[in-house]
């Protein structure tokens, strides 16, 4: 960890608190409520009593902020393993590559309901004219037609898949379709903890060893970023999305807002979604051009503390010593409990335990349920909490898991 990074984190921890009430900030009575809760619990009050339940719910809603919770995420949440004949061909071509692709996710709504997933990841490819990803040319190698026969792939708009032509099976084929699935579930489960949607912008070409004419993705440029925001707005009304402007709340920069005002409290953001950008570097630079603190943008960028747009930081290595300090400073962090099916095959739980202990708000996995074919029983869940728990690094003393989510099913 560089000295400059440490200096930024230290300054964040010492940042002054605001002296005035602003949307989403915690209630001023939180200290007295927390003291009352501690006294009642110490007195032996029945944990199931209505008095304790009401107090827990009040504290969790008005004294616990979004970044003070830890929740489970899924990696490449749309992904379905390639059909058997194509997967066997991939194994023969590159066994290690095929092994990293040997996982299948259930539909998004089932992930939310059955396993408490509250962060998903969608890989998106620009397709402004439509039809770019309709042909899956890898299928020609196993004697199947390349034409998908899926009308939505002929339409303009971002497409969701992992790797063109060879690893393209997905539970929802367009960005808008995936978002509609999320919205339908959110509408039917009001009061859920916010769902974070991590978006990875893809544009890499892949080798074409037998010259089938594999699709060459288009670069994701400024107009495409605008279209990405437009597609989000086409699905979610303003009140259902937590945007950078909502969090900035007239502060000079987004980073200044999270370091002084903090992230909004839970009762201001339950039932909402927020968007996070997986990419850093050049893609982040394009997205912030003309929007240095993400003014008018829909997605929180993957940035570095000290930058005006810094609010979300992707630190995928769960052993990264920077994670706890970054969380304590007020940033939201995503890390991974496993990668490329390695931990699920070996049963290695050290990365999982490190990820959970790090305080990263979103701990991503391919295995919210075990893969029986691997025989290790490996899976990831949030300890003592579904769908989330009080963050082990940043949660206030009065946080209790029972009141974090207030899901209401109409």
């Amino acid at each position: 960890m560089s000295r400059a990074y440490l200096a930024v984190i230290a300054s964040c921890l010492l940042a002054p608190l605001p002296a005035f009430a602003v949307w989403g900030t915690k209630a001023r009575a939180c200290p007295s409520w927390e003291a009352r809760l501690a006294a009642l619990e110490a007195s032996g009050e029945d944990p199931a009593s209505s008095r304790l339940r009401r107090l827990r719910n009040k504290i969790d809603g008005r004294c616990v902020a979004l970044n003070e919770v830890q929740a489970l995420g899924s990696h490449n949440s749309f992904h379905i393993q390639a059909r058997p004949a194509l997967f066997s061909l991939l194994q023969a071509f590159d066994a290690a590559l095929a092994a990293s692709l040997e996982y299948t996710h259930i539909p998004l709504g089932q992930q939310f309901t059955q396993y408490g997933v509250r962060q998903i990841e969608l890989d998106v490819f620009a397709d402004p004219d439509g039809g770019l990803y309709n042909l899956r040319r890898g299928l020609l190698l196993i004697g199947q037609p390349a034409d998908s026969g899926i009308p939505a792939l002929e339409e303009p708009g971002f497409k969701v898949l992992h790797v063109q032509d060879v690893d393209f099976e997905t539970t929802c084929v367009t960005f808008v379709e995936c978002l509609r699935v999320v919205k339908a579930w959110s509408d039917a489960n009001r009061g859920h903890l916010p769902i974070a949607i991590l978006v990875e912008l893809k544009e890499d070409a892949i080798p074409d060893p037998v010259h089938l004419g594999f699709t060459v993705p288009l670069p994701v440029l400024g107009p495409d970023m605008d279209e990405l925001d437009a597609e989000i707005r086409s699905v979610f009304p303003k009140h259902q999305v937590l945007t950078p402007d909502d969090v900035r709340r007239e502060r000079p920069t987004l980073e200044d807002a999270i370091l002084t005002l903090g992230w909004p409290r839970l009762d201001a953001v339950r039932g909402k979604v927020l968007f996070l950008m997986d990419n850093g570097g050049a893609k982040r630079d394009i997205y912030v051009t003309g929007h240095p603190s993400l003014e008018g943008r829909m997605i929180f960028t993957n940035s570095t503390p000290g930058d005006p747009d810094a609010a979300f930081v992707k630190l995928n290595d769960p052993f990264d010593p920077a994670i706890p300090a970054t969380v304590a400073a007020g940033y939201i962090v995503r890390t991974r409990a496993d990668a490329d099916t390695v931990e699920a095959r070996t049963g290695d739980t050290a990365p999982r335990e490190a990820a959970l202990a790090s305080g990263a708000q979103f701990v991503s996995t391919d295995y919210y349920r075990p893969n029986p074919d691997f025989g290790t029983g490996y899976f990831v869940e949030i300890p003592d909490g579904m769908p989330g728990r009080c963050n082990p690094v940043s949660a206030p003393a009065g946080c209790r898991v029972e009141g974090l989510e207030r899901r209401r099913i109409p």
Side-chain angles (χ1 to χ4, degrees):
M1 195 168 13
S2 70
R3 289 184 179 179
Y5 193 98
L6 284 171
V8 170
I9 295 298
S11 66
C12 297
L13 292 170
L14 297 174
L17 293 174
F20 48 87
V22 178
W23 175 86
T25 54
K26 296 180 181 182
R28 293 176 179 173
C30 288
S32 63
W33 294 341
E34 291 176 342
R36 176 64 174 159
L37 176 64
L40 286 173
E41 291 175 335
S43 73
E45 176 101 8
D46 180 358
S49 73
S50 60
R51 179 165 58 171
L52 263 182
R53 176 177 53 81
R54 289 194 299 268
L55 185 56
R56 286 194 302 262
N57 288 346
K58 180 163 63 174
I59 292 172
D60 280 351
R62 300 180 67 184
C63 306
V64 179
L66 171 61
N67 64 309
E68 294 170 340
V69 176
Q70 186 177 65
L72 186 64
S74 60
H75 164 255
N76 288 346
S77 313
F78 56 88
H79 185 263
I80 298 175
Q81 184 179 322
R83 55 195 74 177
L86 183 55
F87 188 75
S88 295
L89 194 63
L90 286 171
Q91 286 179 309
F93 175 72
D94 187 332
L97 171 64
S100 73
L101 304 176
E102 194 175 357
Y103 62 96
T104 289
H105 285 298
I106 58 178
L108 298 176
Q110 294 179 34
Q111 293 183 41
F112 300 146
T113 299
Q114 297 176 25
Y115 297 97
V117 168
R118 292 296 180 268
Q119 179 258 306
I120 61 171
E121 179 181 354
L122 302 175
D123 291 357
V124 300
F125 291 75
D127 187 14
D129 297 322
L132 188 59
Y133 297 95
N134 182 53
L135 298 180
R136 285 93 171 263
R137 292 176 177 85
L139 295 177
L140 297 173
L141 297 170
I142 58 173
Q144 295 184 14
D147 193 320
S148 72
I150 301 173
L153 290 179
E154 295 283 6
E155 298 298 321
F158 280 90
K159 305 304 186 293
V160 173
L161 62 149
H162 189 227
V163 181
Q164 65 274 21
D165 293 304
V166 296
D167 192 36
F168 47 79
E169 306 285 4
T170 173
T171 60
C172 43
V173 299
T174 71
F175 188 48
V176 166
E177 180 190 357
C178 294
L179 297 188
R180 286 173 176 162
V181 172
V182 177
K183 185 179 187 301
W185 188 89
S186 178
D187 289 344
N189 293 269
R190 298 172 185 173
H192 61 78
L193 282 174
I195 295 173
I197 302 172
L198 184 69
V199 180
E200 181 174 3
L201 307 170
K202 303 285 283 284
E203 59 182 31
D204 292 337
I206 61 172
D208 187 6
V210 293
H211 308 293
L212 291 176
F214 282 171
T215 299
V216 177
L218 298 172
V220 183
L221 303 174
D224 303 300
M225 300 292 192
D226 296 338
E227 178 58 28
L228 191 67
D229 281 353
E231 291 195 9
I232 293 170
R233 293 188 183 99
S234 77
V235 175
F236 288 101
K238 188 178 187 305
H239 72 268
Q240 206 167 358
V241 185
L242 182 68
T243 68
D245 283 340
D246 294 331
V247 175
R248 189 164 47 83
R249 290 163 289 184
E250 305 305 322
R251 299 296 292 179
T253 68
L254 179 60
E255 183 182 55
D256 178 74
I258 66 157
L259 300 181
T260 56
L261 303 177
W263 288 85
R265 63 180 187 259
L266 287 185
D267 69 358
V269 296
R270 289 193 187 103
K272 293 179 182 284
V273 300
L274 67 154
F275 291 83
L276 312 172
M277 185 177 289
D278 182 88
N279 311 71
K283 293 304 171 210
R284 172 260 177 190
D285 294 345
I286 293 172
Y287 193 73
V288 302
T289 298
H291 312 264
S293 283
L294 301 176
E295 299 91 336
R297 286 300 201 186
M298 299 299 290
I299 304 175
F300 292 90
T301 43
N302 170 21
S303 295
T304 302
D307 290 336
D309 58 317
F312 164 64
V313 183
K314 184 185 74 171
L315 296 171
N316 278 345
D317 178 0
F319 297 106
D320 190 331
I323 295 177
T326 306
V327 169
Y331 303 92
I332 281 182
V333 175
R334 180 260 198 171
T335 196
R336 294 185 65 176
D338 44 74
D340 300 327
T341 77
V342 172
E343 290 78 9
R345 293 176 188 275
T346 63
D348 181 8
T349 59
R352 178 187 73 187
E353 299 310 310
L356 293 168
S358 73
Q361 287 88 351
F362 298 115
V363 176
S364 181
T365 180
D366 287 315
Y367 302 98
Y368 41 80
R369 58 177 184 168
N371 184 334
D373 293 339
F374 295 161
T376 64
Y378 175 90
F379 73 104
V380 181
E381 64 180 354
I382 299 298
D384 304 320
M386 177 177 168
R389 67 167 173 171
C390 301
N391 192 290
V393 169
S394 62
C399 180
R400 299 293 183 271
V401 67
E402 295 89 347
L404 295 179
E405 181 163 272
R406 307 291 300 281
R407 196 150 59 101
R408 304 183 302 278
I409 302 175

